[in-house]
Amino acid sequence: MAFQLPFKFSGGGSVTPIDIRARQSRMMEYDKPLLWVIILLLLLGMVMVYSASIALPDSPKYAAYKNSYFLTRQATFIAISGMVALVAFRIPIATWQRWAPYLFLGTMFLLLLVLIPGVGVVVNGGRRWLSLKIYNLQPSELMKLFIVLYAADYTVRKQEYMHKLTKGFLPMALAVSVVGLLLLLEPDLGAFGVIVCIAMGILFLGGVNAVWFGGIAGMLVTVFVSIIALSKFRRERFFAYLNPWDEANALDKGYQLTHSLIAFGRGEIFGVGLGGSVEKLHYLPEAHTDFLLAVIGEELGLIGVLAVIGMFYWIVKRAFEIGRQAIAIDQTFAGLVAKGIGIWIGIQTFINMGVNLGLLPTKGLTLPLMSYGGTGVLVNCLGLAILLRIDYENRVLMRGGRT
């Protein structure tokens, strides 16, 4: 058997002890490529928000604002979110698991507060915000993260009952139904859809009974179809999505979609150049929020859009890899949270991009990390900080350390 002495001979004949730490694994303590992808998306988003909003003060609605208003606020949101993320990264995952039920209930209370006249702030016909004077808080964004933590904690606590309806699946389904009811009263069908997908995805990964899962999934599809069919506004928007170029739709319910598609068409392969968008000049509504990808497509072209898609793919891929590694070392809660964050970012990104490209009906969901918005950026950074913490704890445990 090979044998290595615990010292080595220097050139001058002296004996030098070997540094044991130098022989340890060179594994990084955190996922640097993932962190850089997140930072790149935040910075690119800030640049594109500035580009998409620079002409807004020309309109009467934003006449009192400066050209750099949205850039300044987005930069402030990113700076605050970065500091919050640094604090969140230092919190052990076990602590997040203890807090999960309380965070979920607290956010549900905020969703209830939003519905109270005089408390909830109404913007564009939706009562979705709480005024904090300096900016508006959107509780539905918080719920997207806290439903991940709560569903993961619930699955771990109820693991032995996950194949039973009354003790396993039903309580979680009722909790999500209450959240869904509160969101529909705002109304915010998009957030409800994302939250349902997150909860169902985590329950599926946690081993819920396949028969009950299939039955509830079918029932949810029926519910969503009924909501659209029974709402005249949503029904008209859906039919406009099917034929946006019809004369009656192009200037009404299909207006955003047609101008979004025009923006992508103008961008072609390499784009018209940063700042050169025409559609952002009061043709494309909400260009700095829900339809930011259309501006990216117009100014940076197919290449820019593919780069953004690639970066989001990397985040989702790494989330599932980190989750799989956590489960492999018996950190089930951490693994489900990591995969839940991947589902959340992946589903919301897919819906936003699908809406921009005309693959899905128009829905008010922002592009994670990139679109303008304080609560959205804050919660995205908080969730990804938790993901990075899970990866960090995985690496520590694989070295034989303690978290």
Side-chain angles (χ1 to χ4, degrees):
M1 180 181 292
F3 178 75
Q4 182 175 358
L5 295 173
F7 52 83
K8 64 180 180 180
F9 292 97
S10 65
S14 60
V15 178
T16 305
I18 292 177
D19 186 354
I20 301 299
R21 288 175 298 178
R23 295 160 55 192
Q24 292 181 345
S25 168
R26 292 182 177 273
M27 185 190 301
M28 292 186 295
E29 292 194 357
Y30 61 94
D31 193 329
K32 289 183 180 178
L34 176 58
L35 179 61
W36 276 111
V37 166
I38 294 168
I39 292 172
L40 283 173
L41 283 172
L42 285 168
L43 295 180
L44 177 60
M46 183 174 67
V47 171
M48 297 311 302
V49 164
Y50 180 47
S51 178
S53 64
I54 193 169
L56 286 179
D58 295 339
S59 68
K61 182 178 178 181
Y62 299 103
Y65 296 173
K66 295 181 179 178
N67 295 93
S68 60
Y69 174 82
F70 291 98
L71 170 66
T72 303
R73 285 180 67 85
Q74 187 75 351
T76 303
F77 294 151
I78 291 173
I80 294 173
S81 300
M83 290 185 286
V84 171
L86 286 173
V87 174
F89 179 79
R90 298 189 62 84
I91 300 174
I93 297 301
T95 302
W96 286 109
Q97 185 173 6
R98 287 196 302 270
W99 290 354
Y102 307 107
L103 292 170
F104 177 76
L105 291 173
T107 308
M108 191 180 292
F109 176 71
L110 293 179
L111 288 174
L112 187 61
L113 280 182
V114 166
L115 301 176
I116 300 175
V119 178
V121 177
V122 179
V123 178
N124 294 331
R127 191 185 297 274
R128 304 173 186 175
W129 292 266
L130 292 172
S131 177
L132 300 181
K133 302 301 181 183
I134 55 174
Y135 95 110
N136 293 332
L137 176 71
Q138 190 172 1
S140 60
E141 291 292 330
L142 294 173
M143 184 56 78
K144 292 173 186 176
L145 173 58
F146 296 149
I147 193 67
V148 171
L149 298 177
Y150 179 70
D153 175 59
Y154 179 87
T155 302
V156 171
R157 287 188 289 108
K158 300 286 187 176
Q159 188 62 53
E160 60 182 307
Y161 302 114
M162 292 308 291
H163 287 278
K164 298 180 180 180
L165 177 63
T166 54
K167 291 186 178 181
F169 192 83
L170 193 57
M172 186 66 198
L174 289 174
V176 174
S177 298
V178 172
V179 172
L181 177 62
L182 294 174
L183 289 172
L184 291 176
L185 291 174
E186 294 185 2
D188 194 347
L189 183 61
F192 178 39
V194 172
I195 287 169
V196 166
C197 288
I198 293 169
M200 293 290 286
I202 292 177
L203 289 175
F204 177 77
L205 294 171
V208 72
N209 184 288
V211 175
W212 294 120
F213 180 86
I216 297 297
M219 186 180 72
L220 286 170
V221 171
T222 304
V223 168
F224 275 100
V225 171
S226 300
I227 290 171
I228 293 172
L230 296 174
S231 170
K232 182 181 178 182
F233 173 77
R234 293 191 178 99
R235 188 169 63 250
E236 290 177 348
R237 177 177 280 189
F238 179 78
F239 286 117
Y241 143 76
L242 294 176
N243 188 15
W245 300 106
D246 182 84
E247 185 176 354
N249 295 329
L251 298 176
D252 191 18
K253 296 295 187 295
Y255 182 82
Q256 279 182 302
L257 177 54
T258 54
H259 281 279
S260 177
L261 294 175
I262 291 170
F264 283 111
R266 291 193 73 251
E268 297 184 349
I269 304 297
F270 298 103
V272 298
L274 185 63
S277 169
V278 171
E279 285 300 317
K280 70 184 181 185
L281 303 177
H282 313 297
Y283 294 105
L284 178 63
E286 307 299 335
H288 61 305
T289 55
D290 300 347
F291 283 85
L292 186 68
L293 187 71
V295 179
I296 294 173
E298 186 177 4
E299 297 189 348
L300 304 183
L302 177 64
I303 300 300
V305 173
L306 290 178
V308 170
I309 292 173
M311 285 189 280
F312 277 111
Y313 167 77
W314 181 260
I315 290 176
V316 175
K317 174 177 174 288
R318 285 297 299 138
F320 274 84
E321 289 174 347
I322 291 168
R324 185 171 63 248
Q325 185 61 64
I327 292 173
I329 56 177
D330 295 326
Q331 301 299 304
T332 307
F333 172 77
L336 290 175
V337 168
K339 292 185 177 185
I341 291 171
I343 292 171
W344 161 33
I345 298 296
I347 288 291
Q348 184 162 333
T349 300
F350 173 76
I351 293 175
N352 176 272
M353 291 182 173
V355 166
N356 276 251
L357 293 166
L359 300 175
L360 296 171
T362 304
K363 199 74 228 77
L365 280 175
T366 57
L367 187 61
L369 295 171
M370 300 189 73
S371 292
Y372 174 78
T375 310
V377 171
L378 175 65
V379 176
N380 293 157
C381 290
L382 182 57
L384 291 169
I386 294 173
L387 178 64
L388 287 167
R389 176 69 193 192
I390 293 170
D391 179 62
Y392 167 76
E393 292 192 6
N394 286 351
R395 294 167 190 248
V396 170
L397 292 171
M398 286 189 290
R399 289 193 185 101
R402 294 182 178 181
T403 59

